[in-house]
Amino acid sequence: MEEKRKSNIVMIGMPAAGKSTVGVILAKRLGYSFVDVDLVIQEKTGKLLKEIIAEEGDDGFLRIEEEVNAGLDVKCSVIAPGGSVIYGAKAMEHLREIGTVVYLKLTYEDLEKRLGNLKDRGVVLKDGMTLRDLYEERSAYYERYAEVTIDETGKEFGDVVDELRAYFESLERK
């Protein structure tokens, strides 16, 4: 049986890795749609991410996030889920079925420079957990689920987009 190329591209990585920024530009360059899953969650619930976390707690938010990601039904799209999507096995299984999973890998130092207010970003950070703890915990998941890894060290978002575009266009030529 011939393996068919998946029609979606799924961006995973830490908050501030550029999933949305790179995703929007890549979608434009490839003629794809762009799906920001955080916005889909806000649309479905009628609440901001930080409101969901405040009302439902981290576990409640993760449950909603997994449900929304596991139910995505799109084609020819660049999908940017939240950084915590990797905690939902059902969601990740679905995303891998419908798309190629790309890990935008940042160094911890770059992450620290880019990140603003974590609470405002709707980042799930367990009590007593530092940003470094979160980085180390999530990096293992990102590595496990990634089919393509882009090391962003020393690169502008435009460089990352060019690299991904070249990769996906080369697949289409095969």
Side-chain angles (χ1 to χ4, degrees), residues 29-151:
R29 300 251 172 90
L30 294 174
Y32 279 28
S33 296
F34 176 74
V35 179
D36 183 320
V37 182
D38 284 349
L39 295 179
V40 174
I41 292 169
Q42 289 184 172
E43 208 173 277
K44 284 189 186 293
T45 62
K47 296 174 183 164
L48 297 174
L49 300 184
K50 63 182 179 181
E51 292 172 335
I52 298 168
I53 293 168
E55 291 170 22
E56 306 282 337
D58 293 347
D59 291 342
F61 172 76
L62 291 172
R63 205 171 39 254
I64 292 166
E65 180 182 48
E66 179 170 30
E67 194 179 293
V68 170
N69 278 288
L72 280 181
D73 182 18
V74 296
K75 286 184 177 39
C76 295
S77 296
V78 176
I79 302 166
S84 53
V85 68
I86 40 104
Y87 296 126
K90 190 172 73 174
M92 286 309 301
E93 198 175 294
H94 175 68
L95 292 172
R96 283 186 86 169
E97 277 171 21
I98 67 167
T100 301
V101 178
V102 175
Y103 170 30
L104 297 180
K105 185 177 183 173
L106 266 181
T107 63
Y108 178 74
E109 293 67 32
D110 286 343
L111 173 67
E112 255 188 335
K113 280 184 221 152
R114 288 187 191 179
L115 266 181
N117 182 326
L118 291 180
K119 289 271 184 266
D120 260 7
R121 288 187 80 105
V123 175
V124 176
L125 203 55
K126 295 179 199 107
D127 283 343
M129 188 180 238
T130 66
L131 182 59
R132 184 172 285 283
D133 294 336
L134 185 73
Y135 176 82
E136 288 173 5
E137 177 181 278
R138 287 190 181 179
S139 292
Y141 283 97
Y142 296 138
E143 299 280 350
R144 182 179 334 144
Y145 286 119
E147 294 168 81
V148 177
T149 299
I150 302 290
D151 185 345

